[in-house]
């Protein structure tokens, strides 16, 4: 369901160049690995003097370098000329490695993804006041998340302090690149792919400002979405039969007719647990925007999982 908005958007049709820094250290590590394999331990030893030490282990590329290379290559293959603005972010939960690609510095409108932020803000408020959610609050957050209904979000927005209250929440959560929508236009909150990866970490990390009980409550709601809410986005790359927390957001801009298509979640892809964020804006239609995001995710997420598994000597299922 689209989030309410009234502020005008600006039409953008220029292409964006791929924005990925693979890292000199990662590239050097890959070259070192290749060189060692080409020489072999016997050849390498014969090139040195008899009393020179020989390294027993090759230099293995870092998880960060491997992930960034895999994400960059897969994204370029999937979207050589992306429409509008697009950014994809991947965090490998096991190693903590992060890679982002596309329009990584662009401030995207969140659309209904912000509903998951509103829930987190309400849970922080209840923690601070040392009380559980009230019956009314519970009655509002459930349809806001599971059915992505707009009216509960509009009702909860002032309860969490509206734009000023949400700005304080974002500072508290370390989301320095996210700014709440003003004048009640919560769907026009702006954010970056990096901040959405931070938010997913907030929902899972033991050191999060959210208590263990709050995290469990939010993750339960985000893992039990209604059927119509689990089509497209990160839902298309999750391993079959797995349960995972996610939130999508889509929104047509009233002045331009262009679409915002977003999806975030922690999903298991080919057996590997990944935080995945897909943000896009200025899409020509809802269908075209959804298809572009799905194409990117179907290339990038499996490639990331396979590359990281290969680095660890594993074979992806």
């Amino acid at each position: 369901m689209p989030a309410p908005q009234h502020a005008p958007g600006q039409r953008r049709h220029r292409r964006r160049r791929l924005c990925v820094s693979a890292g000199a250290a990662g590239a050097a590590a890959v070259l070192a690995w290749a060189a060692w394999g080409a020489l072999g331990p016997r050849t390498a030893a014969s090139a040195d003097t008899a009393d020179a030490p020989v390294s027993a282990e090759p230099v293995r590329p870092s998880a960060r370098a491997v992930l960034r290379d895999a994400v960059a290559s897969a994204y370029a293959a999937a979207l050589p000329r992306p429409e509008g603005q697009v950014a994809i972010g991947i965090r490998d939960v096991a190693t903590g490695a992060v890679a982002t690609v596309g329009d990584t510095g662009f401030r995207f409108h969140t659309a209904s993804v912000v509903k998951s932020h509103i829930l987190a803000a309400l849970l922080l408020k209840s923690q601070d006041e040392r009380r559980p959610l009230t019956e009314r609050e519970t009655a509002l957050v459930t349809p806001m998340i599971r059915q992505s209904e707009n009216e509960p979000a509009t009702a909860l927005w002032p309860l969490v302090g509206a734009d000023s209250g949400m700005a304080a929440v974002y500072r508290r959560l370390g989301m320095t690149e996210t700014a709440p929508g003003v004048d009640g236009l919560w769907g026009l909150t702006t954010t970056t792919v990096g901040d959405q990866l931070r938010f997913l970490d907030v929902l899972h990390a033991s050191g999060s400002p959210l208590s263990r009980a709050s995290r469990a409550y939010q993750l339960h709601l985000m893992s039990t979405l209604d059927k119509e809410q689990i089509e497209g986005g990160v839902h298309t790359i999750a391993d079959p039969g797995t349960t995972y927390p996610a939130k999508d957001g889509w929104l047509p801009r009233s002045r331009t007719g262009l679409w915002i298509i977003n999806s975030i979640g922690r999903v298991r892809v080919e057996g590997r647990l990944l935080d995945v964020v897909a943000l896009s804006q200025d899409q020509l239609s809802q269908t075209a925007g959804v298809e572009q995001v799905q194409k990117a995710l179907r290339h990038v997420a499996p490639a990331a999982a396979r590359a990281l598994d290969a680095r660890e000597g594993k074979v992806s299922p």
Side-chain angles (χ1 to χ4, degrees):
M1 173 179 304
Q5 54 86 31
H6 309 288
Q10 294 183 346
R11 194 178 188 87
R12 299 182 179 89
H13 291 290
R14 60 184 181 276
R15 305 294 181 185
R16 297 282 173 163
R17 296 188 302 172
L18 182 67
C19 300
V20 173
S21 58
V30 173
L31 291 173
W33 177 278
W36 188 93
L39 290 171
R42 179 174 300 177
T43 305
S46 64
D48 294 327
T49 59
D51 58 347
V54 178
S55 175
E57 293 291 336
V59 177
R60 184 169 67 168
S62 69
R64 182 183 182 189
V66 167
L67 180 61
R68 288 189 171 184
D69 286 347
V71 166
S73 298
Y75 181 82
L79 302 180
R81 299 179 64 190
E83 181 64 41
Q85 293 79 37
V86 183
I88 304 295
I90 304 285
R91 176 195 287 111
D92 177 45
V93 174
T95 64
V98 173
T100 58
V101 67
D103 295 293
T104 57
F106 189 80
R107 300 295 179 101
F108 294 85
H109 289 119
T110 59
S112 287
V113 167
V114 76
K115 293 170 182 173
S116 58
H117 305 173
I118 295 172
L119 174 54
L122 187 66
L123 291 170
L124 284 172
K125 184 175 186 290
S126 70
Q127 285 178 204
D128 293 343
E129 296 174 357
R130 299 186 178 182
R131 62 168 180 83
L133 296 183
T134 66
E135 289 185 8
R136 179 172 181 262
E137 290 169 341
T138 301
L140 289 171
V141 299
T142 300
M144 179 180 71
I145 298 298
R146 286 180 171 163
Q147 290 87 42
S148 198
E149 291 185 3
N150 293 329
E151 291 78 9
T154 299
L156 287 167
W157 189 250
L159 295 184
V160 295
D163 55 331
S164 61
M166 287 301 299
V169 167
Y170 289 136
R171 289 193 297 270
R172 187 171 177 180
L173 299 183
M175 297 170 65
T176 59
E177 298 171 343
T178 301
V182 298
D183 298 327
L185 302 178
W186 44 264
L188 296 185
T189 294
T190 58
T191 194
T192 62
V193 64
D195 257 10
Q196 290 313 297
L197 285 174
R198 293 183 191 96
F199 180 67
L200 289 172
D201 189 52
V202 163
L203 296 182
H204 293 86
S206 58
S208 166
L210 289 168
S211 69
R212 181 177 181 180
S214 293
R215 297 196 308 272
Y217 181 78
Q218 174 143 1
L219 291 171
H220 172 70
L221 285 181
M222 293 176 64
S223 300
T224 52
L225 305 179
D226 278 9
K227 184 178 180 180
E228 60 269 21
Q229 299 297 321
I230 57 174
E231 298 177 358
V234 299
H235 313 285
T236 63
I237 58 171
D239 289 349
T242 57
T243 300
Y244 52 89
K247 188 71 190 80
D248 297 340
W250 52 265
L251 173 67
R253 297 306 306 273
S254 58
R255 293 290 183 90
T256 65
L258 300 178
W259 284 76
I260 298 161
I261 305 292
N262 300 327
S263 187
I264 69 171
R266 175 169 286 193
V267 294
R268 196 168 292 279
V269 180
E270 299 192 3
R272 195 162 191 111
L273 197 58
L274 303 174
D275 284 337
V276 180
V277 172
L279 304 178
S280 68
Q281 198 156 305
D282 289 348
Q283 304 303 300
L284 296 178
S285 68
Q286 181 185 6
T287 299
V290 168
E291 288 177 352
Q292 179 168 245
V293 164
Q294 290 183 176
K295 184 177 182 180
L297 290 180
R298 285 172 174 163
H299 277 74
V300 171
R306 293 167 191 163
L308 289 165
D309 280 351
R311 173 183 175 273
E312 297 168 0
K314 300 177 183 176
V315 178
S316 297

